[in-house]
Amino acid sequence: MIIDAHQHFWKLERGDYPWPNETVADIFRDFEPADLAPLLAAAGVDRTVLVQATDTVAETEFLLQIAKDVAWVAGVVGWVDLGAPDAVKVIDRLHQQPALKGLRPMLQNIEDTDWISREAVAPALSHMADLGLCFDALIQPRHLDAIAQVARLHPALPIVIDHIAKPKMGGGQTPDAEWLQGMRRLADLPNVHCKLSGLITEIGPTWTMTDLAPFAAHVLQVFGPDKTLFGSDWPVVTLAGTYTGWRETVDTLLTTFTAADRAKIMGGNAQAFYGL
């Protein structure tokens, strides 16, 4: 089974999306299950993990309803203000829906790099671990040390790095030492995984395999076939390519792996990580 561990839906008339906006005109419209279904079929993808796109509980409830209605949506990663006094109560309420598999604070949009390490956030992270919920880390390289600290303080909390932490890529740029070392330190922690997603979007439509190769190779080396998850980041991926094109690119990146290891990366790891 092939599982896309990272995709989005949004309906703009809901009114709580500061992004997408006019700066990304090609995806500044509604994206719903009927739009993705034929792409999954063409790419041979069986199921997906639906990930939040804005920082409201209302959107998470919207996504959970989609999961009820769409059989191939295997789980939802939602949003809760983890630092709010009522965070645990809100998590408990959302967790009544079995499709909720994880939560994702939008750390890349928070100015304080160490926000996730605040004492006010710790009870919610501990409660997530107690419930078996996963933590999606939408981060940039500046957050690598903070996420490592969280992973050590909450060893029972499964954490996955989205979009390989969004290092600077493209234009012949090679991985810098901060990212290389930070990702290696995270990979050494048993509860931290990484999604092979978002790479071409960080570069843009002029991306080449030469741009991708050293970054993907490092992720695949340090996280290995047991802790790397395939994700599309659809529809954001369409800013730089196509759904099937990204699936084929990942196949190329995995050519040196055994069939068993490719099966883990392309679905088995997502199934185990999120408890699908």
Side-chain angles (χ1 to χ4, degrees):
M1 179 177 289
I2 296 178
I3 300 172
D4 178 350
H6 200 105
Q7 56 94 185
H8 306 284
F9 294 129
W10 50 71
K11 196 171 181 66
L12 298 181
E13 68 181 23
R14 295 187 51 260
D16 56 359
Y17 301 99
W19 188 96
N21 53 33
E22 293 86 350
T23 65
V24 283
D26 288 346
I27 58 171
F28 189 39
R29 62 178 181 85
D30 293 350
F31 286 91
E32 300 183 80
D35 300 303
L36 181 55
L39 304 180
L40 298 178
V45 175
D46 301 291
R47 306 188 79 186
T48 73
V49 175
L50 176 55
V51 179
Q52 61 83 227
T54 197
D55 52 358
T56 69
V57 172
E59 193 225 10
T60 297
E61 293 169 334
F62 165 69
L63 301 180
L64 289 168
Q65 184 58 53
I66 290 176
K68 282 185 177 180
D69 298 336
V70 180
W72 45 260
V73 174
V76 169
V77 175
W79 179 92
V80 170
D81 181 355
L82 300 179
D86 65 345
V88 168
K89 290 183 178 179
V90 176
I91 292 170
D92 281 339
R93 178 170 63 80
L94 294 173
H95 188 247
Q96 293 175 13
Q97 301 293 327
L100 186 74
K101 302 300 181 183
L103 297 171
R104 184 172 84 148
M106 303 182 79
L107 299 182
Q108 69 171 10
N109 297 339
I110 298 174
E111 184 176 356
D112 180 4
T113 297
D114 294 318
W115 179 88
I116 194 62
S117 301
R118 291 182 178 182
E119 288 185 14
V121 178
L125 294 175
S126 294
H127 195 58
M128 288 174 62
D130 291 342
L131 294 177
L133 291 174
C134 301
F135 177 94
D136 263 60
L138 177 61
I139 62 171
Q140 297 161 333
R142 64 187 173 100
H143 298 100
L144 293 172
D145 288 342
I147 293 298
Q149 180 181 359
V150 168
R152 294 187 190 101
L153 289 173
H154 302 273
L157 179 66
I159 298 172
V160 63
I161 307 303
D162 291 348
H163 315 327
I164 72 168
K166 296 193 168 186
K168 292 181 180 179
M169 304 171 62
Q173 184 154 340
T174 56
D176 64 31
E178 176 192 12
W179 181 80
L180 288 167
Q181 295 167 8
M183 292 295 278
R184 183 177 296 276
R185 286 193 295 269
L186 286 173
D188 286 341
L189 297 167
N191 56 326
V192 182
H193 299 62
C194 187
K195 290 183 184 178
L196 197 61
S197 63
L199 281 73
I200 66 173
T201 311
E202 288 302 301
I203 301 170
T206 61
W207 67 272
T208 67
M209 287 296 291
T210 301
D211 293 321
L212 301 182
F215 295 88
H218 184 65
V219 167
L220 290 166
Q221 177 190 1
V222 298
F223 285 92
D226 293 322
K227 296 207 298 176
T228 304
L229 288 65
F230 158 71
S232 71
D233 197 26
W234 183 91
V236 185
V237 69
T238 62
L239 294 172
T242 66
Y243 191 97
T244 300
W246 174 241
R247 161 68 205 278
E248 292 171 347
T249 297
V250 174
D251 284 343
T252 300
L253 294 171
L254 301 182
T255 51
T256 61
F257 286 81
T258 66
D261 285 344
R262 289 197 301 271
K264 292 177 186 177
I265 294 168
M266 297 302 295
N269 292 342
Q271 188 171 11
F273 179 81
Y274 287 113
L276 304 179

